[in-house]
Amino acid sequence: MKIGELSGRTGVPTRLLRYYEEQDLLHPDRGENGYRSYGEAAVRDVQQIRGLLDSGLTTEMIRAILPYLSGPDEIVLPAEHLTPETASLLEGHIDRIQARIDCLARNRDRLSAYLAAVRPDRAAPPSSPRR
């Protein structure tokens, strides 16, 4: 399929698809006319790239783990292929995620406490789950 069809099937603009190629995340074939040609697997790859980017991973991290993705919920990275650099990237990202979780939890608790102080009849306890 051409880049326009891949864009239509994934909802990702062609400009971003070209960027993914520049970042070595997508590897289309090229026809004699120079047009990109994507296989069926590119749809899944683009969806995985989008999901990983949305979760906060950088293109560098995605490039390191993309070859080992077996689906949207599973990374199959044999221990012998995990380089110290990739492990360090992933550990750093885990630390950043945890810092954001901690910050969000503090903010939630502060806002809940504020609401409880100014509107005691309508505020939920800070530790209750939100939906």
Side-chain angles (χ1 to χ4, degrees), residues 95-119:
D95 291 344
R96 286 187 297 280
I97 289 172
Q98 188 60 55
R100 283 190 293 191
I101 290 169
D102 295 344
C103 180
L104 288 169
R106 282 190 307 275
N107 289 339
R108 179 205 57 217
D109 294 346
R110 288 177 186 148
L111 291 171
S112 294
Y114 171 76
L115 282 175
V118 298
R119 298 169 73 186

PDB file of all heavy atoms in Angstrom, residues 95-119:
ATOM      1  N   ASP A  95      11.410   5.572  35.938  1.00  0.00           N
ATOM      2  CA  ASP A  95      11.572   6.563  37.010  1.00  0.00           C
ATOM      3  C   ASP A  95      10.768   7.832  36.720  1.00  0.00           C
ATOM      4  O   ASP A  95      10.132   8.396  37.614  1.00  0.00           O
ATOM      5  CB  ASP A  95      13.048   6.920  37.198  1.00  0.00           C
ATOM      6  CG  ASP A  95      13.869   5.765  37.769  1.00  0.00           C
ATOM      7  OD1 ASP A  95      13.274   4.797  38.301  1.00  0.00           O
ATOM      8  OD2 ASP A  95      15.115   5.834  37.658  1.00  0.00           O
ATOM      9  N   ARG A  96      10.763   8.283  35.469  1.00  0.00           N
ATOM     10  CA  ARG A  96       9.990   9.483  35.105  1.00  0.00           C
ATOM     11  C   ARG A  96       8.489   9.231  35.232  1.00  0.00           C
ATOM     12  O   ARG A  96       7.744  10.106  35.687  1.00  0.00           O
ATOM     13  CB  ARG A  96      10.357   9.949  33.694  1.00  0.00           C
ATOM     14  CG  ARG A  96      11.732  10.612  33.618  1.00  0.00           C
ATOM     15  CD  ARG A  96      12.003  11.227  32.255  1.00  0.00           C
ATOM     16  NE  ARG A  96      12.039  10.259  31.171  1.00  0.00           N
ATOM     17  CZ  ARG A  96      13.076   9.481  30.879  1.00  0.00           C
ATOM     18  NH1 ARG A  96      14.171   9.545  31.591  1.00  0.00           N
ATOM     19  NH2 ARG A  96      13.017   8.639  29.857  1.00  0.00           N
ATOM     20  N   ILE A  97       8.046   8.043  34.844  1.00  0.00           N
ATOM     21  CA  ILE A  97       6.623   7.702  34.993  1.00  0.00           C
ATOM     22  C   ILE A  97       6.241   7.723  36.474  1.00  0.00           C
ATOM     23  O   ILE A  97       5.219   8.291  36.851  1.00  0.00           O
ATOM     24  CB  ILE A  97       6.315   6.316  34.372  1.00  0.00           C
ATOM     25  CG1 ILE A  97       6.388   6.376  32.853  1.00  0.00           C
ATOM     26  CG2 ILE A  97       4.945   5.817  34.827  1.00  0.00           C
ATOM     27  CD1 ILE A  97       6.290   5.009  32.184  1.00  0.00           C
ATOM     28  N   GLN A  98       7.076   7.116  37.309  1.00  0.00           N
ATOM     29  CA  GLN A  98       6.767   7.075  38.737  1.00  0.00           C
ATOM     30  C   GLN A  98       6.740   8.478  39.326  1.00  0.00           C
ATOM     31  O   GLN A  98       5.876   8.793  40.149  1.00  0.00           O
ATOM     32  CB  GLN A  98       7.767   6.194  39.495  1.00  0.00           C
ATOM     33  CG  GLN A  98       7.376   5.959  40.942  1.00  0.00           C
ATOM     34  CD  GLN A  98       6.023   5.275  41.071  1.00  0.00           C
ATOM     35  OE1 GLN A  98       5.793   4.210  40.509  1.00  0.00           O
ATOM     36  NE2 GLN A  98       5.103   5.889  41.808  1.00  0.00           N
ATOM     37  N   ALA A  99       7.645   9.339  38.906  1.00  0.00           N
ATOM     38  CA  ALA A  99       7.651  10.722  39.399  1.00  0.00           C
ATOM     39  C   ALA A  99       6.366  11.439  39.007  1.00  0.00           C
ATOM     40  O   ALA A  99       5.789  12.191  39.814  1.00  0.00           O
ATOM     41  CB  ALA A  99       8.871  11.466  38.864  1.00  0.00           C
ATOM     42  N   ARG A 100       5.877  11.199  37.790  1.00  0.00           N
ATOM     43  CA  ARG A 100       4.610  11.815  37.366  1.00  0.00           C
ATOM     44  C   ARG A 100       3.438  11.265  38.171  1.00  0.00           C
ATOM     45  O   ARG A 100       2.544  12.010  38.560  1.00  0.00           O
ATOM     46  CB  ARG A 100       4.373  11.581  35.875  1.00  0.00           C
ATOM     47  CG  ARG A 100       5.214  12.508  35.006  1.00  0.00           C
ATOM     48  CD  ARG A 100       4.797  12.419  33.574  1.00  0.00           C
ATOM     49  NE  ARG A 100       5.125  11.079  33.088  1.00  0.00           N
ATOM     50  CZ  ARG A 100       5.100  10.689  31.836  1.00  0.00           C
ATOM     51  NH1 ARG A 100       4.721  11.512  30.907  1.00  0.00           N
ATOM     52  NH2 ARG A 100       5.424   9.464  31.492  1.00  0.00           N
ATOM     53  N   ILE A 101       3.442   9.950  38.422  1.00  0.00           N
ATOM     54  CA  ILE A 101       2.375   9.341  39.224  1.00  0.00           C
ATOM     55  C   ILE A 101       2.366   9.955  40.618  1.00  0.00           C
ATOM     56  O   ILE A 101       1.309  10.320  41.141  1.00  0.00           O
ATOM     57  CB  ILE A 101       2.545   7.805  39.297  1.00  0.00           C
ATOM     58  CG1 ILE A 101       2.253   7.177  37.931  1.00  0.00           C
ATOM     59  CG2 ILE A 101       1.658   7.199  40.383  1.00  0.00           C
ATOM     60  CD1 ILE A 101       2.648   5.705  37.818  1.00  0.00           C
ATOM     61  N   ASP A 102       3.538  10.080  41.220  1.00  0.00           N
ATOM     62  CA  ASP A 102       3.633  10.662  42.560  1.00  0.00           C
ATOM     63  C   ASP A 102       3.121  12.098  42.580  1.00  0.00           C
ATOM     64  O   ASP A 102       2.373  12.499  43.477  1.00  0.00           O
ATOM     65  CB  ASP A 102       5.078  10.608  43.067  1.00  0.00           C
ATOM     66  CG  ASP A 102       5.588   9.179  43.272  1.00  0.00           C
ATOM     67  OD1 ASP A 102       4.767   8.235  43.313  1.00  0.00           O
ATOM     68  OD2 ASP A 102       6.827   9.026  43.381  1.00  0.00           O
ATOM     69  N   CYS A 103       3.507  12.871  41.575  1.00  0.00           N
ATOM     70  CA  CYS A 103       3.062  14.264  41.479  1.00  0.00           C
ATOM     71  C   CYS A 103       1.552  14.341  41.297  1.00  0.00           C
ATOM     72  O   CYS A 103       0.873  15.137  41.954  1.00  0.00           O
ATOM     73  CB  CYS A 103       3.788  14.961  40.330  1.00  0.00           C
ATOM     74  SG  CYS A 103       3.324  16.690  40.111  1.00  0.00           S
ATOM     75  N   LEU A 104       1.006  13.523  40.426  1.00  0.00           N
ATOM     76  CA  LEU A 104      -0.439  13.513  40.211  1.00  0.00           C
ATOM     77  C   LEU A 104      -1.190  13.108  41.476  1.00  0.00           C
ATOM     78  O   LEU A 104      -2.232  13.692  41.804  1.00  0.00           O
ATOM     79  CB  LEU A 104      -0.802  12.576  39.058  1.00  0.00           C
ATOM     80  CG  LEU A 104      -0.425  13.072  37.659  1.00  0.00           C
ATOM     81  CD1 LEU A 104      -0.587  11.943  36.646  1.00  0.00           C
ATOM     82  CD2 LEU A 104      -1.247  14.275  37.273  1.00  0.00           C
ATOM     83  N   ALA A 105      -0.670  12.130  42.191  1.00  0.00           N
ATOM     84  CA  ALA A 105      -1.320  11.694  43.436  1.00  0.00           C
ATOM     85  C   ALA A 105      -1.303  12.817  44.470  1.00  0.00           C
ATOM     86  O   ALA A 105      -2.310  13.048  45.154  1.00  0.00           O
ATOM     87  CB  ALA A 105      -0.647  10.435  43.979  1.00  0.00           C
ATOM     88  N   ARG A 106      -0.171  13.520  44.594  1.00  0.00           N
ATOM     89  CA  ARG A 106      -0.104  14.656  45.525  1.00  0.00           C
ATOM     90  C   ARG A 106      -1.105  15.733  45.136  1.00  0.00           C
ATOM     91  O   ARG A 106      -1.823  16.269  45.984  1.00  0.00           O
ATOM     92  CB  ARG A 106       1.312  15.247  45.556  1.00  0.00           C
ATOM     93  CG  ARG A 106       2.306  14.460  46.378  1.00  0.00           C
ATOM     94  CD  ARG A 106       3.616  15.228  46.579  1.00  0.00           C
ATOM     95  NE  ARG A 106       4.219  15.706  45.349  1.00  0.00           N
ATOM     96  CZ  ARG A 106       5.027  14.977  44.576  1.00  0.00           C
ATOM     97  NH1 ARG A 106       5.337  13.739  44.914  1.00  0.00           N
ATOM     98  NH2 ARG A 106       5.534  15.487  43.462  1.00  0.00           N
ATOM     99  N   ASN A 107      -1.166  16.048  43.859  1.00  0.00           N
ATOM    100  CA  ASN A 107      -2.104  17.078  43.391  1.00  0.00           C
ATOM    101  C   ASN A 107      -3.549  16.654  43.630  1.00  0.00           C
ATOM    102  O   ASN A 107      -4.379  17.456  44.054  1.00  0.00           O
ATOM    103  CB  ASN A 107      -1.872  17.391  41.919  1.00  0.00           C
ATOM    104  CG  ASN A 107      -0.589  18.150  41.692  1.00  0.00           C
ATOM    105  OD1 ASN A 107      -0.052  18.774  42.595  1.00  0.00           O
ATOM    106  ND2 ASN A 107      -0.068  18.079  40.479  1.00  0.00           N
ATOM    107  N   ARG A 108      -3.863  15.382  43.349  1.00  0.00           N
ATOM    108  CA  ARG A 108      -5.207  14.872  43.608  1.00  0.00           C
ATOM    109  C   ARG A 108      -5.567  15.029  45.077  1.00  0.00           C
ATOM    110  O   ARG A 108      -6.648  15.512  45.420  1.00  0.00           O
ATOM    111  CB  ARG A 108      -5.296  13.397  43.203  1.00  0.00           C
ATOM    112  CG  ARG A 108      -6.675  12.766  43.473  1.00  0.00           C
ATOM    113  CD  ARG A 108      -6.627  11.268  43.657  1.00  0.00           C
ATOM    114  NE  ARG A 108      -5.732  10.921  44.735  1.00  0.00           N
ATOM    115  CZ  ARG A 108      -4.941   9.854  44.739  1.00  0.00           C
ATOM    116  NH1 ARG A 108      -4.921   9.022  43.718  1.00  0.00           N
ATOM    117  NH2 ARG A 108      -4.152   9.602  45.760  1.00  0.00           N
ATOM    118  N   ASP A 109      -4.641  14.630  45.949  1.00  0.00           N
ATOM    119  CA  ASP A 109      -4.909  14.711  47.383  1.00  0.00           C
ATOM    120  C   ASP A 109      -5.077  16.151  47.849  1.00  0.00           C
ATOM    121  O   ASP A 109      -5.949  16.447  48.674  1.00  0.00           O
ATOM    122  CB  ASP A 109      -3.802  14.008  48.167  1.00  0.00           C
ATOM    123  CG  ASP A 109      -3.774  12.510  47.925  1.00  0.00           C
ATOM    124  OD1 ASP A 109      -4.759  11.963  47.363  1.00  0.00           O
ATOM    125  OD2 ASP A 109      -2.759  11.875  48.282  1.00  0.00           O
ATOM    126  N   ARG A 110      -4.277  17.066  47.321  1.00  0.00           N
ATOM    127  CA  ARG A 110      -4.395  18.483  47.697  1.00  0.00           C
ATOM    128  C   ARG A 110      -5.725  19.069  47.228  1.00  0.00           C
ATOM    129  O   ARG A 110      -6.382  19.804  47.963  1.00  0.00           O
ATOM    130  CB  ARG A 110      -3.234  19.279  47.116  1.00  0.00           C
ATOM    131  CG  ARG A 110      -1.925  19.000  47.807  1.00  0.00           C
ATOM    132  CD  ARG A 110      -0.786  19.745  47.158  1.00  0.00           C
ATOM    133  NE  ARG A 110       0.475  19.332  47.756  1.00  0.00           N
ATOM    134  CZ  ARG A 110       1.609  19.281  47.110  1.00  0.00           C
ATOM    135  NH1 ARG A 110       1.664  19.620  45.827  1.00  0.00           N
ATOM    136  NH2 ARG A 110       2.705  18.892  47.719  1.00  0.00           N
ATOM    137  N   LEU A 111      -6.115  18.750  46.011  1.00  0.00           N
ATOM    138  CA  LEU A 111      -7.390  19.255  45.501  1.00  0.00           C
ATOM    139  C   LEU A 111      -8.563  18.668  46.275  1.00  0.00           C
ATOM    140  O   LEU A 111      -9.529  19.367  46.600  1.00  0.00           O
ATOM    141  CB  LEU A 111      -7.530  18.948  44.008  1.00  0.00           C
ATOM    142  CG  LEU A 111      -6.594  19.722  43.085  1.00  0.00           C
ATOM    143  CD1 LEU A 111      -6.672  19.170  41.664  1.00  0.00           C
ATOM    144  CD2 LEU A 111      -6.905  21.206  43.117  1.00  0.00           C
ATOM    145  N   SER A 112      -8.482  17.379  46.592  1.00  0.00           N
ATOM    146  CA  SER A 112      -9.540  16.753  47.378  1.00  0.00           C
ATOM    147  C   SER A 112      -9.634  17.380  48.767  1.00  0.00           C
ATOM    148  O   SER A 112     -10.736  17.627  49.275  1.00  0.00           O
ATOM    149  CB  SER A 112      -9.287  15.245  47.505  1.00  0.00           C
ATOM    150  OG  SER A 112      -9.395  14.631  46.259  1.00  0.00           O
ATOM    151  N   ALA A 113      -8.490  17.649  49.380  1.00  0.00           N
ATOM    152  CA  ALA A 113      -8.485  18.289  50.703  1.00  0.00           C
ATOM    153  C   ALA A 113      -9.074  19.687  50.623  1.00  0.00           C
ATOM    154  O   ALA A 113      -9.837  20.110  51.505  1.00  0.00           O
ATOM    155  CB  ALA A 113      -7.067  18.332  51.263  1.00  0.00           C
ATOM    156  N   TYR A 114      -8.723  20.415  49.574  1.00  0.00           N
ATOM    157  CA  TYR A 114      -9.279  21.756  49.395  1.00  0.00           C
ATOM    158  C   TYR A 114     -10.797  21.685  49.259  1.00  0.00           C
ATOM    159  O   TYR A 114     -11.528  22.429  49.922  1.00  0.00           O
ATOM    160  CB  TYR A 114      -8.661  22.435  48.183  1.00  0.00           C
ATOM    161  CG  TYR A 114      -9.347  23.730  47.834  1.00  0.00           C
ATOM    162  CD1 TYR A 114      -9.124  24.872  48.586  1.00  0.00           C
ATOM    163  CD2 TYR A 114     -10.234  23.796  46.772  1.00  0.00           C
ATOM    164  CE1 TYR A 114      -9.777  26.066  48.291  1.00  0.00           C
ATOM    165  CE2 TYR A 114     -10.886  24.980  46.462  1.00  0.00           C
ATOM    166  CZ  TYR A 114     -10.656  26.112  47.218  1.00  0.00           C
ATOM    167  OH  TYR A 114     -11.307  27.282  46.932  1.00  0.00           O
ATOM    168  N   LEU A 115     -11.281  20.795  48.392  1.00  0.00           N
ATOM    169  CA  LEU A 115     -12.727  20.659  48.215  1.00  0.00           C
ATOM    170  C   LEU A 115     -13.418  20.241  49.511  1.00  0.00           C
ATOM    171  O   LEU A 115     -14.507  20.726  49.826  1.00  0.00           O
ATOM    172  CB  LEU A 115     -13.043  19.651  47.107  1.00  0.00           C
ATOM    173  CG  LEU A 115     -12.881  20.161  45.687  1.00  0.00           C
ATOM    174  CD1 LEU A 115     -13.110  19.036  44.684  1.00  0.00           C
ATOM    175  CD2 LEU A 115     -13.816  21.320  45.405  1.00  0.00           C
ATOM    176  N   ALA A 116     -12.785  19.347  50.262  1.00  0.00           N
ATOM    177  CA  ALA A 116     -13.373  18.918  51.529  1.00  0.00           C
ATOM    178  C   ALA A 116     -13.468  20.084  52.502  1.00  0.00           C
ATOM    179  O   ALA A 116     -14.419  20.180  53.285  1.00  0.00           O
ATOM    180  CB  ALA A 116     -12.546  17.784  52.125  1.00  0.00           C
ATOM    181  N   ALA A 117     -12.500  20.999  52.444  1.00  0.00           N
ATOM    182  CA  ALA A 117     -12.501  22.145  53.357  1.00  0.00           C
ATOM    183  C   ALA A 117     -13.554  23.176  52.965  1.00  0.00           C
ATOM    184  O   ALA A 117     -14.190  23.766  53.834  1.00  0.00           O
ATOM    185  CB  ALA A 117     -11.118  22.793  53.386  1.00  0.00           C
ATOM    186  N   VAL A 118     -13.745  23.391  51.673  1.00  0.00           N
ATOM    187  CA  VAL A 118     -14.674  24.447  51.252  1.00  0.00           C
ATOM    188  C   VAL A 118     -16.066  23.926  50.940  1.00  0.00           C
ATOM    189  O   VAL A 118     -17.029  24.690  50.964  1.00  0.00           O
ATOM    190  CB  VAL A 118     -14.131  25.240  50.036  1.00  0.00           C
ATOM    191  CG1 VAL A 118     -12.827  25.934  50.402  1.00  0.00           C
ATOM    192  CG2 VAL A 118     -13.965  24.352  48.825  1.00  0.00           C
ATOM    193  N   ARG A 119     -16.193  22.646  50.658  1.00  0.00           N
ATOM    194  CA  ARG A 119     -17.491  22.039  50.341  1.00  0.00           C
ATOM    195  C   ARG A 119     -17.571  20.672  50.989  1.00  0.00           C
ATOM    196  O   ARG A 119     -17.593  19.658  50.296  1.00  0.00           O
ATOM    197  CB  ARG A 119     -17.645  21.917  48.834  1.00  0.00           C
ATOM    198  CG  ARG A 119     -17.633  23.255  48.114  1.00  0.00           C
ATOM    199  CD  ARG A 119     -17.513  23.095  46.628  1.00  0.00           C
ATOM    200  NE  ARG A 119     -18.755  22.603  46.052  1.00  0.00           N
ATOM    201  CZ  ARG A 119     -18.893  22.263  44.791  1.00  0.00           C
ATOM    202  NH1 ARG A 119     -17.870  22.338  43.968  1.00  0.00           N
ATOM    203  NH2 ARG A 119     -20.031  21.843  44.332  1.00  0.00           N
TER     204      ARG A 119
END
